[in-house]
């Protein structure tokens, strides 16, 4: 499926685009077009589900990866890819101050609530205790579990399940 890169969105204009949204829960439908984030678009490019064009020039995987890296999204892409490959549905968590919302296998947006909020940090990131506390409070306040995804320099990911405990 052909798609078009414009700013920070990739738009798919195809009758098959709705299937990607309805069945596989990628992006969001807007005016009969599927709008994908850069992260989703690179993932679908990797899976050979879409081709991405910018001003009639087809972008290679390396070019799209370069765009992701330039926007400092590569570690988030690695986490997105890992979670999708494990069978989870991954949506934006922007509304909750997180990178992603995560739906358990078998659940999907519109049929229930997400189970997790996912925050992505690099292993060298100095996590402020007040920021960490706010992540935990928000997750607890919206009845979700918090996953901290720590990405090391080799691109390996370690997940930490953080829970609120009352002493």
């Amino acid at each position: 499926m052909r798609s078009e890169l414009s700013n920070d969105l990739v738009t798919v204009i195809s009758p098959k685009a709705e299937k990607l949204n309805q069945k596989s829960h990628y992006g969001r439908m807007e005016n009969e077009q599927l709008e994908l984030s850069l992260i989703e678009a690179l993932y679908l490019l990797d899976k050979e589900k879409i081709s991405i064009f910018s001003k009639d020039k087809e972008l290679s995987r390396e070019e799209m990866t370069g765009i992701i890296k330039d926007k400092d999204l590569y570690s988030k892409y690695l986490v997105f890819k890992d979670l999708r490959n494990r069978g989870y549905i991954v949506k934006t968590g922007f509304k909750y101050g997180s990178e992603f919302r995560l739906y358990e296998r078998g659940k999907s947006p519109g049929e229930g609530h997400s189970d997790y909020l996912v925050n992505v940090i690099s292993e060298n990131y100095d996590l402020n205790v007040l920021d960490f506390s706010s992540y935990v409070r928000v997750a607890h306040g919206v009845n979700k579990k918090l996953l901290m995804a720590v990405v090391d320099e080799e691109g390996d990911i370690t997940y930490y399940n953080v829970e609120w405990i009352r002493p």
Side-chain angles (χ1 to χ4, degrees), residues 127-157:
L127 182 59
N128 178 315
V129 71
L130 294 175
D131 291 340
F132 184 72
S133 175
S134 71
Y135 300 155
V136 174
R137 285 179 180 275
V138 168
H140 178 73
V142 294
N143 202 25
K144 298 184 188 322
K145 298 172 190 156
L146 176 63
L147 277 183
M148 296 296 293
V150 180
V151 182
D152 68 18
E153 290 179 6
E154 290 81 36
D156 294 326
I157 306 163

Side-chain angles (χ1 to χ4, degrees), residues 42-90:
L42 178 55
Y43 182 77
L44 290 170
L45 180 64
D46 277 347
K47 295 287 185 183
E48 299 180 353
K49 300 283 185 190
I50 64 171
S51 55
I52 303 172
F53 287 79
S54 177
K55 299 176 184 162
D56 290 327
K57 179 194 179 292
E58 186 170 4
L59 298 176
S60 68
R61 185 205 183 285
E62 291 75 24
E63 289 170 315
M64 194 64 189
T65 301
I67 291 168
I68 292 273
K69 286 182 176 179
D70 289 346
K71 295 187 178 287
D72 201 27
L73 296 172
Y74 192 67
S75 60
K76 293 174 187 173
Y77 168 72
L78 293 174
V79 171
F80 179 90
K81 178 180 174 180
D82 182 61
L83 293 170
R84 281 302 300 215
N85 287 345
R86 292 173 186 250
Y88 294 101
I89 294 173
V90 184

Side-chain angles (χ1 to χ4, degrees), residues 16-17 28 33 40 43 46 60 99 101 116 124-125 141:
K16 294 179 184 177
R28 66 185 181 103
Q33 300 176 20
E40 291 173 309
Y43 182 77
D46 277 347
S60 68
E99 277 76 31
R101 289 175 290 139
Y116 293 91
N124 299 323
Y125 180 72

Side-chain angles (χ1 to χ4, degrees), residues 13-52:
I13 305 170
S14 166
K16 294 179 184 177
E18 191 170 357
K19 183 178 175 185
L20 274 178
N21 177 259
Q22 299 299 318
K23 184 177 177 215
S24 302
H25 306 287
Y26 290 104
R28 66 185 181 103
M29 293 302 294
E30 190 71 34
N31 298 323
E32 297 182 25
Q33 300 176 20
L34 178 61
E35 294 181 347
L36 301 169
S37 70
L38 296 175
I39 291 171
E40 291 173 309
L42 178 55
Y43 182 77
L44 290 170
L45 180 64
D46 277 347
K47 295 287 185 183
E48 299 180 353
K49 300 283 185 190
I50 64 171
S51 55
I52 303 172

